[in-house]
Amino acid sequence: MKRLVAWLGVLVFALLLVGCGSDKKSSSSAKTTTVVQKIPDTSLTALAAYVKSKPNTKLCVDSEGGFRADVLPLVKTTYGLEFTNIQQLGYELIPPAVKSGQCDVGIVYSTAGLIAKNDLKVLDDDKKAFGAYTPAPTIKTANLSKYPTLQDDLKQLTDALDTATITELNARVDVDKETAEKVAGDFLKEKGIVKSSPSGSGKGKITVGSKLDTEAQLLGLMLSQTLTNKGYDVTNKIPTGNTDITRTALVNGDIDIYWEFTSSGLNIVKEKPIGDPQAAYAKVKQLDAANGITWLQAATMNDNYALAVKKTS
């Protein structure tokens, strides 16, 4: 009897060992087959497929790009890409939030210096949903007669502003933490746009506005400093507000001039964005003339909206 009890004890112990070994093997096997799916850093088409499988993917937006008819609605129409998990942040906070994982995807401006600083990848707009965003000074047509040399006075400035240049200037403010006033002034002096002594006088009072982001404020400050040097009596209202607020300020006479972007202007006049910069400028200049707004000479830079994610490698 003692021998039988002993034998049964050994058998139970052996079965317990086999069971433990089986559980351990199963657990180990589960770990080796777990795959973490990363957000693709290639194109908006690839992102759309990912978001369909991961509908809680978090998008961060600013107060401008997150609520315009020519940004997210175009992405939805073109790619079938729709976000349900959205958080609003200041535009300068979005790139570091994507880097830290607070956001999975962020709306950015393609010329922002913070993209490279935070090691992000701008996704390829492979179906060309976004239009061209090339800036030009805009003014009420009725006020042009007050400033007969205005376009000539601004030509050297607009000629100097290409995409590479504005990207570098944005980085000096957002990455290197120089003041926008200093960056604008240094650039104007370096290019000989602003002289050491005023190059004109008595050209009238003019109020300059701008939108909110770094680039828009830099453009506004360059406009203001150039006009001051050319002999205008300049009042600054920089920044003025988002697109709607700044445009309203222009129409109401609270400001006299500010830089608007071509596809933003097309959105104002209820037209779809246009990808070709020259075609976009020609179209908005023609259509906005009917609203009593004149678009002066455009710069050559192009600052598109874009979606950015962390690089996968």
Side-chain angles (χ1 to χ4, degrees):
M1 185 65 179
K2 288 182 180 179
R3 185 177 296 175
L4 178 60
V5 171
W7 183 84
L8 288 173
V10 171
L11 179 61
V12 170
F13 183 71
L15 289 172
L16 286 172
L17 284 177
V18 171
C20 290
S22 175
D23 287 345
K24 185 175 182 181
K25 182 178 179 181
S26 175
S27 176
S28 174
S29 175
K31 287 181 181 178
T32 58
T33 58
T34 299
V35 177
V36 177
Q37 188 178 1
K38 293 182 178 180
I39 298 177
D41 67 353
T42 51
S43 68
L44 290 181
T45 294
L47 179 65
Y50 176 87
V51 172
K52 283 182 181 178
S53 67
K54 303 281 186 180
N56 202 41
T57 301
K58 188 173 184 178
L59 173 72
C60 282
V61 304
D62 68 349
S63 61
E64 180 81 18
F67 303 94
R68 290 171 47 141
D70 58 341
V71 185
L72 288 179
L74 286 181
V75 171
K76 180 181 177 181
T77 300
T78 306
Y79 295 95
L81 174 54
E82 185 173 16
F83 294 90
T84 57
N85 186 5
I86 298 177
Q87 179 179 355
Q88 183 178 332
L89 295 174
Y91 74 92
E92 77 284 1
L93 299 177
I94 292 175
V98 175
K99 180 182 180 180
S100 70
Q102 178 184 343
C103 315
D104 299 309
V105 187
I107 290 181
V108 296
Y109 305 114
S110 62
T111 57
L114 289 170
I115 295 172
K117 176 179 173 59
N118 289 280
D119 202 29
L120 304 186
K121 178 72 180 295
V122 170
L123 300 176
D124 179 31
D125 180 12
D126 49 313
K127 294 183 181 178
K128 308 301 180 190
F130 296 124
Y133 290 83
T134 298
T138 58
I139 186 170
K140 288 176 74 172
T141 306
N143 291 339
L144 271 178
S145 60
K146 298 180 184 179
Y147 317 111
T149 65
L150 182 63
Q151 180 133 268
D152 288 340
D153 289 332
L154 294 176
K155 186 178 188 310
Q156 193 178 0
L157 172 60
T158 52
D159 285 345
L161 291 171
D162 57 29
T163 303
T165 296
I166 198 65
T167 302
E168 179 184 347
L169 297 179
N170 286 337
R172 285 179 58 184
V173 177
D174 286 333
V175 178
D176 300 335
K177 300 305 180 183
E178 298 181 57
T179 67
E181 290 84 358
K182 181 180 184 302
V183 172
D186 288 348
F187 172 75
L188 295 174
K189 290 171 186 174
E190 177 190 336
K191 295 296 182 181
I193 297 168
V194 164
K195 313 298 182 184
S196 55
S197 57
S199 58
S201 62
K203 294 189 176 179
K205 295 181 178 181
I206 192 166
T207 300
V208 177
S210 85
K211 298 198 221 181
L212 297 171
D213 58 275
T214 293
E215 182 172 284
Q217 292 189 52
L218 275 170
L219 290 170
L221 289 165
M222 286 189 271
L223 182 62
S224 170
Q225 292 178 28
T226 298
L227 292 175
T228 297
N229 192 253
K230 298 290 185 182
Y232 295 80
D233 180 5
V234 176
T235 298
N236 281 339
K237 290 189 177 180
I238 299 171
T240 309
N242 63 17
T243 295
D244 291 341
I245 291 171
T246 310
R247 170 74 173 211
T248 299
L250 181 72
V251 170
N252 291 344
D254 297 324
I255 61 174
D256 295 308
I257 190 169
Y258 82 101
W259 294 85
E260 187 54 272
F261 291 76
T262 47
S263 283
S264 296
L266 287 170
N267 185 53
I268 290 170
V269 297
K270 310 301 183 185
E271 288 286 325
K272 293 180 180 179
I274 297 174
D276 178 77
Q278 288 76 31
Y281 171 74
K283 186 74 170 180
V284 74
K285 182 179 176 71
Q286 173 196 357
L287 293 176
D288 222 6
N291 297 321
I293 303 296
T294 293
W295 288 62
L296 302 179
Q297 177 188 334
T300 59
M301 58 172 276
N302 186 14
D303 180 7
N304 299 73
Y305 279 102
L307 297 185
V309 299
K310 283 194 291 187
K311 292 180 182 177
T312 58
S313 60

